[in-house]
Amino acid sequence: RPRPTGPTPDPMSATTDRPASKQASSLRGLTPFLRPYRGRIALAVLTLLLAALATLAFPLALRGLIDAGFEAGNPGERLMALREHFLAMFAVGAALGIFSASRFYMVTWLGERVTADLRNAIYTHVLRQSPEFFETTQTGEVLSRITTDTTVVQTVVGSSLSMGLRNVVMGVGALTMLVVTNPYVMGQVLGILVLIVAPALYFGRRVRKLSRASQDRVADTSAIAAEVLNAVSVVQSYTQEGAEARRFSAASEAAFDTARKRTKVRSFLVAFIITGVFGAMLWGLYQGTQAVIAGKISAGHLGQTVVYVTLLVSSVAVLAEVWGDVLRAAGATERLIELMNARSPVADPARPLALPATQGGSRVEFDRISFHYPSRPQTAALDGLTLTVAPGETVALVGPSGAGKTTVFQLLLRFYDPQSGEIRLNGVSTQQLRLADLRASVGLVPQDSVIFSTTAMENIRYGRPEASDEEVIAAAKAAFADDFIRALPEGYQSFLGERGVRLSGGQRQRISIARAMLKNPPLLLLDEATSALDAESERVVQAALEAAMQHRTTLVIAHRLATIQKADRIVVLEAGRIVDIGRHDELVARGGLYAKLAAMQFGLEHETPGRGHAEAVAP
């Protein structure tokens, strides 16, 4: 899949082209998640070994039973001997059942626990990535790794690995017993087995590569689905449902084709191993039957040999299946560890400074800031910007699209760091502050309001989780959201739906404003905060915002100039530079870019009387 170009490498593909020898160690990435449960792992291994030993004891009990049945003596003595051997076999079976059940519980618990820890760790890590990470990584791909890949790992940790270890113990034990009891014959069998191993390793590497490719193709389908479902209204409005369905179908077919190739190679690998091992074991059995006929071994000895051969063959067959699962899990683990290894270029300093407190708002200084987005390295979003905002001052940023207004907010919140220059908050560089301290002092009201899939009460409380219900309601009243919230079926406890689909655009915006007002930060960032409101709602919310601005510093991004005429200063941006600063009347009188923008907007409004500022055209 093509990705955005730029100097920043894709953090999700850092290890794709590693040699196979290094890829084989991918499962070691699970070690930090297994280490806290060493005691449970030891207990699981113990029960596993006991279950395997109980299985290996069964052929010995069977040999005694068969030989006792053929021994000379009166029927009564033989019957008593048979009873003892049957009781011994029952004891072996009971032990096998108890130890197998214990093993199953232990390893299943470990699989579920480790997978939950892995999902939590990766999700928490991704949440801390800067927006630069998401410029090169699709959200759907991240979700695929957190869900699909962790499920693959769960299958291996919670089942396949224990089955593999159990069958290794049984296979080695059975092979050892066969070599001890039939050394000459098993020497020949081992020679045949060695010839099977080399081709199996070759095909195993192919399965490993195809497993990784298959999981990548599945991630493609998840990425497409997430992208389209988040924009389904646009897809439907342009009647592109068929085209998107075909695009998803093409990605699904690619995933199926890769999975088919993987399954084909894996099936051949399983067939090759089982056929080769079975042939070798049959040769050993043939030699054993000849020994019984010649009187060299007893019938019980042959029966024991048959069971051990069966155990060995079944163990190898299971190991062939498990090996395929392990290879697939190695690919999944590699993809998950890539996520964990992704490092955000924006991080807390080694020795953070405290943010000084101020009265009446924060002091903000931009000192010769230059910045290029990683995905657009040739274009300067900001070019030598210098600006100081005094505590309690309201400063508006205006200019055409692409002038750098939103970039100012993103740098101030440290979503990115500038390539040159320094941003200071209350005299301290933002890069010397803990991210949590910096962002806790800033309230943001974005242009596109974000509403979470929870109640109205919890959506507003997101601004300050410890706030009481009374404080939440007070913030809603200040943002003129109380009336429409109370009119909802369950009032403040009403579920607002995914992305707030049950609310109008203006209602979502007032929820967002209430959230920021509840946070009550010394610095408020308003990104076209009244853009989705009708004329009446804009008037009342604008009044609420003006009241909220009284005791804090406020930066406002505005396209509709009528909303910022009372700002202390208006900063006019163009191509990442400040081209003018002043109050509304001063800027209009100077006749620069601001005057042109004002003439376009206010002139249009005079031509369409009665429609108000809500219909003004943004430049």
Side-chain angles (χ1 to χ4, degrees), residues 342-409:
R343 291 290 174 261
S344 174
V346 176
D348 286 333
R351 296 182 178 179
L353 300 179
L355 178 62
T358 58
Q359 295 293 327
S362 300
R363 179 180 180 85
V364 183
E365 300 170 80
F366 296 88
D367 187 3
R368 294 170 292 180
I369 298 298
S370 294
F371 176 70
H372 299 72
Y373 283 100
S375 59
R376 305 188 295 275
Q378 306 304 321
T379 304
L382 293 177
D383 187 4
L385 182 140
T386 297
L387 175 67
T388 298
V389 183
E393 187 178 16
T394 297
V395 174
L397 306 177
V398 301
S401 295
K405 304 182 295 296
T406 300
T407 303
V408 171
F409 281 16

Side-chain angles (χ1 to χ4, degrees), residues 31-49:
T31 302
F33 299 95
L34 294 169
R35 190 176 294 120
Y37 309 109
R38 292 187 294 266
R40 284 185 175 268
I41 293 173
L43 191 57
V45 171
L46 176 62
T47 56
L48 181 150
L49 291 174

Side-chain angles (χ1 to χ4, degrees), residues 91-229:
V92 170
L96 177 60
I98 293 172
F99 296 140
S100 295
S102 301
R103 175 194 64 84
F104 174 79
Y105 175 79
M106 289 293 179
V107 298
T108 302
W109 187 94
L110 282 170
E112 297 286 352
R113 181 69 268 167
V114 169
T115 303
D117 292 348
L118 186 60
R119 284 195 182 113
N120 292 338
I122 292 173
Y123 183 70
T124 301
H125 183 72
V126 170
L127 284 180
R128 294 194 174 100
Q129 298 303 304
S130 72
E132 180 179 337
F133 173 84
F134 296 98
E135 288 186 22
T136 56
T137 306
Q138 291 180 296
T139 303
E141 185 171 341
V142 175
L143 294 177
S144 174
R145 298 194 181 198
I146 292 176
T147 54
T148 306
D149 289 355
T150 53
T151 301
V152 173
V153 172
Q154 177 183 348
T155 300
V156 171
V157 175
S159 175
S160 297
L161 279 181
S162 71
M163 287 178 58
L165 181 57
R166 176 173 175 269
N167 281 278
V168 165
V169 174
M170 288 199 308
V172 171
L175 185 61
T176 302
M177 293 300 295
L178 287 170
V179 170
V180 169
T181 55
N182 301 279
Y184 174 73
V185 173
M186 291 312 300
Q188 301 176 47
V189 171
L190 287 177
I192 299 174
L193 291 177
V194 170
L195 298 177
I196 299 172
V197 171
L201 292 177
Y202 168 75
F203 285 110
R205 284 195 293 269
R206 289 200 59 191
V207 171
R208 170 76 171 74
K209 293 178 181 178
L210 288 170
S211 295
R212 170 65 193 256
S214 177
Q215 287 154 251
D216 285 341
R217 299 293 75 76
V218 171
D220 290 345
T221 61
S222 298
I224 292 172
E227 179 183 35
V228 172
L229 292 178

Side-chain angles (χ1 to χ4, degrees), residues 57-119:
F58 180 80
L60 296 175
L62 179 65
R63 176 181 177 177
L65 178 66
I66 294 173
D67 286 344
F70 286 98
E71 284 181 355
N74 63 64
E77 293 176 349
R78 292 199 328 200
L79 180 60
M80 292 300 296
L82 286 174
R83 285 180 180 177
E84 292 177 1
H85 287 290
F86 272 115
L87 287 173
M89 291 184 67
F90 176 78
V92 170
L96 177 60
I98 293 172
F99 296 140
S100 295
S102 301
R103 175 194 64 84
F104 174 79
Y105 175 79
M106 289 293 179
V107 298
T108 302
W109 187 94
L110 282 170
E112 297 286 352
R113 181 69 268 167
V114 169
T115 303
D117 292 348
L118 186 60
R119 284 195 182 113

Side-chain angles (χ1 to χ4, degrees), residues 210-414:
L210 288 170
S211 295
R212 170 65 193 256
S214 177
Q215 287 154 251
D216 285 341
R217 299 293 75 76
V218 171
D220 290 345
T221 61
S222 298
I224 292 172
E227 179 183 35
V228 172
L229 292 178
N230 283 330
V232 68
S233 59
V234 176
V235 173
Q236 292 176 351
S237 68
Y238 283 91
T239 64
Q240 291 298 306
E241 298 95 330
E244 293 298 344
R246 288 190 294 273
R247 186 160 73 104
F248 184 84
S249 178
S252 296
E253 285 299 314
F256 169 76
D257 188 58
T258 307
R260 179 186 58 78
K261 292 177 181 177
R262 183 201 71 212
T263 305
K264 182 179 178 181
V265 175
R266 183 173 171 180
S267 299
F268 182 83
L269 173 64
V270 171
F272 175 79
I273 292 176
I274 292 177
T275 303
V277 172
F278 199 79
M281 293 302 101
L282 284 177
W283 171 253
L285 284 178
Y286 173 76
Q287 295 294 327
T289 55
Q290 297 300 310
V292 172
I293 293 172
K296 295 179 180 178
I297 62 174
S298 68
H301 191 159
L302 178 60
Q304 172 188 296
T305 302
V306 169
V307 176
Y308 277 131
V309 167
T310 303
L311 288 176
L312 181 56
V313 172
S314 62
S315 296
V316 172
V318 171
L319 287 173
E321 285 290 320
V322 169
W323 180 240
D325 289 338
V326 169
L327 291 175
R328 192 171 175 218
T333 303
E334 182 178 306
R335 285 159 46 88
L336 292 169
I337 297 306
E338 283 174 6
L339 272 182
M340 291 297 294
N341 288 340
R343 291 290 174 261
S344 174
V346 176
D348 286 333
R351 296 182 178 179
L353 300 179
L355 178 62
T358 58
Q359 295 293 327
S362 300
R363 179 180 180 85
V364 183
E365 300 170 80
F366 296 88
D367 187 3
R368 294 170 292 180
I369 298 298
S370 294
F371 176 70
H372 299 72
Y373 283 100
S375 59
R376 305 188 295 275
Q378 306 304 321
T379 304
L382 293 177
D383 187 4
L385 182 140
T386 297
L387 175 67
T388 298
V389 183
E393 187 178 16
T394 297
V395 174
L397 306 177
V398 301
S401 295
K405 304 182 295 296
T406 300
T407 303
V408 171
F409 281 16
Q410 292 188 325
L411 293 181
L412 185 53
L413 285 162
R414 261 202 94 195

Side-chain angles (χ1 to χ4, degrees), residues 466-517:
E466 70 278 7
S468 66
D469 290 355
E470 291 74 19
E471 290 173 315
V472 171
I473 293 172
K477 289 179 177 178
F480 294 88
D482 181 69
D483 290 342
F484 81 79
I485 292 176
R486 291 188 184 277
L488 295 172
E490 298 178 43
Y492 279 85
Q493 299 305 319
S494 296
F495 179 72
L496 301 184
E498 185 175 6
R499 292 178 291 143
V501 293
R502 298 184 179 182
L503 302 179
S504 69
Q507 290 172 336
R508 289 196 296 269
Q509 196 71 315
R510 277 180 273 178
I511 292 283
S512 183
I513 293 169
R515 183 187 297 156
M517 296 178 75

